[in-house]
Amino acid sequence: MLRFAEELMLLILRDDGRFVSVRSWSLRRALAGAVLMDLALEDRIDTDLENLILVDATPLGDGLLDPTLAQIAATNEQRGAHYWVEHIASGSDEIRSRALERLVDKGIVEKHDDKFLWVLRSRRYPTIDGKAVREVKLRIMSVLFSDEIPDSRDVAIIALADACEIFRELLSRQELEQASTRIQQVRNFDLIGQAMNQAIADVTMWLAKAQNTII
């Protein structure tokens, strides 16, 4: 089973081994959201409109998720999902490195140190529910261009892809216009996804204001 951070890294990895150009602050917050989404699916945390709630502090034995779970468990004060997205984003470099290392260990990507490229060895892997092996990009497209009700994993990965504006790379302009309403509809199903997108919007607005001030 791939974690959301691993799927996100696959989404931004081109066939030539180079990464799609995405805004660094968007990717950091998307990786933070990815870890929180996995913790929610593992019933370790829950969210409401105001708070992120610790449900079970028992470690999962997963080096990608347990550090964040430990941070949440060690905090006595109740915090919202927006706070945790921002807080975890500060350590997103470690999340990114671990996600890529796991993809290498699973034989999905291969690292070429001499060229500093990550080369895809296999672009297919089983989904969590045991359905036919489907590539993450194909899974997303099947949701965006159909009326099928997305499951929780589809909702999460679409929210992550939208946060990084990856759809601009994956879809043509016409396809993006066609899918824009559906993307917004699906991403709003998840409260963590909403908090993640709001955190990114806050940074974007701050940078815009800062630029105007400088000018």
Side-chain angles (χ1 to χ4, degrees):
M1 177 183 69
L2 294 184
R3 296 299 187 184
F4 289 127
E6 295 171 274
E7 289 193 320
L8 180 59
M9 296 312 300
L10 286 178
L11 278 178
I12 66 172
L13 184 61
R14 294 194 180 105
D15 291 346
D16 64 3
R18 300 184 184 278
F19 290 102
V20 171
S21 178
V22 296
R23 297 178 302 182
S24 59
W25 66 88
S26 297
L27 181 58
R28 287 196 295 269
R29 285 157 182 80
L31 286 168
V35 171
L36 290 174
M37 288 171 178
D38 265 317
L39 288 174
L41 285 181
E42 292 285 356
D43 296 321
R44 292 304 192 268
I45 61 172
D46 198 0
T47 55
D48 57 28
L49 293 176
E50 295 183 356
N51 296 312
L52 186 147
I53 305 141
L54 178 67
V55 175
D56 184 355
T58 306
L60 292 157
D62 188 316
L64 198 56
L65 306 184
D66 284 346
T68 296
L69 178 61
Q71 290 182 53
I72 296 172
T75 304
N76 295 322
E77 186 176 354
Q78 196 75 273
R79 302 280 192 174
H82 187 287
Y83 166 85
W84 282 110
V85 167
E86 288 289 354
H87 181 75
I88 297 165
S90 63
S92 62
D93 286 347
E94 182 65 23
I95 296 172
R96 178 180 181 275
S97 295
R98 287 180 180 175
L100 287 170
E101 288 170 2
R102 287 160 65 117
L103 290 172
V104 171
D105 291 342
K106 293 173 182 177
I108 295 172
V109 299
E110 182 178 54
K111 185 178 181 182
H112 286 199
D113 291 324
D114 55 335
K115 297 182 180 179
F116 299 101
L117 298 181
W118 296 83
V119 180
L120 287 169
R121 294 177 58 191
S122 170
R123 299 188 63 186
R124 293 188 177 275
Y125 47 87
T127 54
I128 190 172
D129 58 3
K131 294 184 293 187
V133 176
R134 297 166 64 186
E135 187 177 358
V136 61
K137 294 178 183 178
L138 297 179
R139 203 174 88 221
I140 289 175
M141 298 309 154
S142 70
V143 173
L144 295 185
F145 296 101
S146 74
D147 295 326
E148 69 178 77
I149 299 175
D151 63 24
S152 56
R153 291 193 64 82
D154 293 335
V155 169
I157 197 62
I158 287 171
L160 293 169
D162 186 54
C164 292
E165 299 182 342
I166 296 171
F167 289 123
R168 294 183 180 182
E169 294 282 341
L170 299 182
L171 305 176
S172 67
R173 181 179 298 180
Q174 182 178 358
E175 289 173 332
L176 186 57
E177 290 177 356
Q178 181 182 347
S180 59
T181 300
R182 177 69 164 165
I183 292 170
Q184 183 174 359
Q185 177 192 52
V186 172
R187 77 180 189 186
N188 287 336
F189 289 159
D190 188 273
L191 291 176
I192 292 175
Q194 291 180 37
M196 176 187 61
N197 277 282
Q198 185 57 55
I200 292 169
D202 290 347
V203 175
T204 304
M205 184 179 297
W206 180 85
L207 288 172
K209 288 181 178 179
Q211 186 177 24
N212 290 335
T213 299
I214 293 172
I215 293 174

